[in-house]
Structures are given as structure tokens and as C-alpha cells.
Amino acid sequence: MRNASRGGRAPQELWLGLVVLGMVVVLTALRPNFLSVQNVMEMMNATAFNGILVSGLLVVLIAGGIDISFAAVASVAQYAALTVANATGAGWGEIVAIAGAIGLGLGLLNGILVSTLGIASIIVTIATQSVIYGILLTVTRGQDIFTLPAWFGDGVDLFVTTDAKGNVYAISLQIWGLVLAFASAWFLLNRTRFGRQVFALGGNPEAARRVGFGTTRLNLLVYGYMGLVAGLASLVQAQYTQSVSPTALVGRELEVVAAAVLGGASLDGGHGSVLGAILGLALVVIMKNGLALLGVSSYWTDFFTGLVIVAAVAGMAARARRRWHDSPGLA
């Protein structure tokens, strides 16, 4: 099944790579500073939170589900972890454990509800998203946290260097967190038995049950992983913005889903790759950055993101129809 799906993904990744390359060429011609080291690193820092979430959502989509609650999970995780840090003087180890545990717990809750209620995962996670946001806003009264520990504000930079103009460059927490997230997703999906079972579950759930894969256990692992990723990503985002707000992450769902779907992850499950997800993320980020450099109002960002999603889903439907015509019953 994985070989077959890989064969179907190659054209999608090739097409997407050509589109990304074309956008880079055009934007570099129009704005020569587009490919400057400073702009490229800023794009990676700014998109790290979304990218880490894409790496988690990819696993859920391949398993045949979808999780819309990740932004709410991340909001709770970062608020709780940094509130504890401010109150008790907890360090990196403690806040990573707190944010990860909260994310994992809420993800497992999604997995239990999806497995036991027999309701579509999008309905379950929209409901849990509303509940989580409601509790968070009630408890915090919508108050932001602007004072964070000094060590948290400093981040964890690697390979710090300075150019002749005094500009400082470093592999920031956001960048190495993003790389680690996609590397982990690739390893899980391509080098573990869990990954093979995820592809099988998304490709044919009934067949997966018949061979004894344990679909409830898989759903718990898949949604738990998504929650864990969201919890850890929340710290990356808070360190980047140097503040925590209960509502700051609202609306991130659209861009994250867009990047994963653009990369070839099927909303029907069974298809998707880490390379495709990276290219899908790159397309969304380059489009947003390019619009900003060209002076287009930020109000148009969601409009163009929505158009890109429609184009991606239409292309996916067209490919499914072609597979149906080529091999009836296997699409």
C-alpha cells in the first residue's frame, strides 16, 4: 500500500516543487532581497509554529482523520506552562514537560472521543476546540502574559554568527524545532511499524481491523501525537512572540490544513508524505511573504490561502477520478 501511494505522490511533489521554484524566481526578480539570508531565516522563524503543526497533522490525515483543535490545545499548553514558570521559577525541562503533558492529554481525549463516539473526527475536534477555548478564556479572563522569564526570552540559539554589517544570524529554537519535527514525522511514518499501520488504517480501515491492527489504539496514538506536537509547538511560538495570549493562535487552522493538503495529504486518508508537506508549507509561506514584499494588504492573505486550498482539493479530486478511470474500484 505504501509503495502504491508513493507512486501516486511523486507527480504531486514534482508539480508542487515546480510551483515553489517558479514563485521563488518571480519574487527574486521583483524583490532582490527575497532570497537574502535575513529574509529566508525570518520566514523560517515566523512559520515554525505552523510547520511543526503540519508535521503532526500529516500523521492524522494519513490515518484517515483530521484534527482542528490543535490551536486551542497549543493555547492552553503555553498559557499553563508559562504561568507555572512565572509563579515557581520552573526551567526549560519543567515547562517542556508541562506543555507536552497537556498537549498529549488533550490529544488522547480527542482519540478516545473519535474512537468511541463513532462521529466524524472533524466534528469531534471542532467541538473539543470550542470547549477548550471556552475553558481557557473563562479561567484566564482573556488576559495576556507579557512578562516571561529572562531565560525563556533568550531562547536556545545554535551556531550564532555575525556578518560585516553587524547582523546576527543563528539557528534559533524555532528553526531547529521545525527541522526536528519533520525529521520525527518522517522517521515515524517511514521507519516504524506504527507508520505502516497508520498508512494501512487510512487506506482501508476495514482491512486494518480484519488484520488486527487495533484501530482504537492507533487512533489514540495518532491524536495523542498531534496533541504532543501542538503542546511543544506552543512553546516555540511563545518564545518567538515573547508573549502569551489566549486568543493569539485562533485562525491558524486554515494555513496548517492548507499546507498539509497542498503537499498531497489526502483528506480520505492513506496518502501523504513529509516531503510533500514541507513543499506545501513552503508554498504557503512564500506566498504570504511575497504578498507582503509586494505591498499587498495582509487582509488579502486569507483570501489567497483559501483559493490555494480550493485549487489543491480540486486537483486532488481530479487525480482521484483519473485513478478511478485507470483502475476502477481502487481510487
Side-chain angles (χ1 to χ4, degrees):
M1 180 175 297
R2 295 178 68 205
N3 289 338
S5 63
R6 280 175 177 170
R9 286 198 301 265
Q12 171 77 8
E13 294 162 352
L14 178 61
W15 169 84
L16 200 53
L18 291 174
V19 172
V20 170
L21 180 62
M23 291 177 68
V24 169
V25 171
V26 171
L27 287 171
T28 303
L30 295 174
R31 292 290 185 274
N33 64 333
F34 173 75
L35 272 186
S36 66
V37 175
Q38 188 173 15
N39 190 51
V40 171
M41 296 189 77
E42 178 52 32
M43 279 195 289
M44 295 183 70
N45 284 321
T47 197
F49 175 68
N50 284 3
I52 295 172
L53 291 174
V54 169
S55 73
L57 183 63
L58 174 67
V59 177
V60 181
L61 290 174
I62 292 174
I66 189 168
D67 187 348
I68 305 298
S69 68
F70 50 77
V73 171
S75 298
V76 171
Q78 67 176 194
Y79 205 100
L82 290 166
T83 297
V84 171
N86 280 337
T88 68
W92 273 110
E94 289 89 343
I95 66 169
V96 168
I98 292 171
I102 291 174
L104 177 63
L106 293 174
L108 289 173
L109 176 62
N110 279 331
I112 292 171
L113 294 175
V114 169
S115 298
T116 59
L117 296 181
I119 303 174
S121 55
I122 189 171
I123 303 299
V124 170
T125 55
I126 286 176
T128 55
Q129 176 195 48
S130 297
V131 171
I132 293 169
Y133 268 133
I135 294 174
L136 179 62
L137 290 173
T138 300
V139 172
T140 65
R141 299 181 179 179
Q143 294 182 343
D144 296 351
I145 301 175
F146 294 109
T147 303
L148 299 175
W151 52 263
F152 185 78
D154 293 338
V156 186
D157 294 342
L158 305 175
F159 307 111
V160 181
T161 185
T162 305
D163 66 13
K165 297 180 180 178
N167 297 316
V168 179
Y169 303 99
I171 306 299
S172 64
L173 169 67
Q174 288 71 33
I175 294 176
W176 64 258
L178 179 64
V179 173
L180 186 62
F182 276 116
S184 300
W186 180 87
F187 180 80
L188 282 175
L189 290 171
N190 296 282
R191 290 292 184 269
T192 68
R193 183 181 180 188
F194 167 72
R196 293 190 290 274
Q197 292 179 342
V198 166
F199 274 99
L201 176 64
N204 191 331
E206 185 57 33
R209 290 189 190 95
R210 290 181 179 178
V211 298
F213 276 174
T215 56
T216 299
R217 177 184 61 84
L218 279 177
N219 275 327
L220 288 176
L221 291 174
V222 166
Y223 287 95
Y225 180 72
M226 177 74 248
L228 175 63
V229 168
L232 298 179
S234 73
L235 297 180
V236 170
Q237 175 66 9
Q239 201 282 326
Y240 177 71
T241 60
Q242 296 290 299
S243 65
V244 175
S245 172
T247 58
L249 304 181
V250 175
R252 295 299 187 99
E253 298 85 357
L254 180 65
E255 292 180 19
V256 173
V257 173
V261 173
L262 275 170
S266 171
L267 294 174
D268 295 326
H271 296 277
S273 72
V274 170
L275 176 59
I278 292 173
L279 289 171
L281 177 67
L283 191 149
V284 173
V285 173
I286 290 172
M287 179 184 68
K288 289 181 61 178
N289 186 261
L291 290 174
L293 290 177
L294 294 174
V296 178
S297 169
S298 60
Y299 295 119
W300 285 97
T301 299
D302 286 345
F303 172 80
F304 285 108
T305 303
L307 283 184
V308 168
I309 292 176
V310 171
V313 173
M316 188 179 299
R319 288 194 301 278
R321 285 195 296 271
R322 284 198 297 271
R323 287 198 298 271
W324 174 261
H325 286 300
D326 294 341
S327 304
L330 297 179

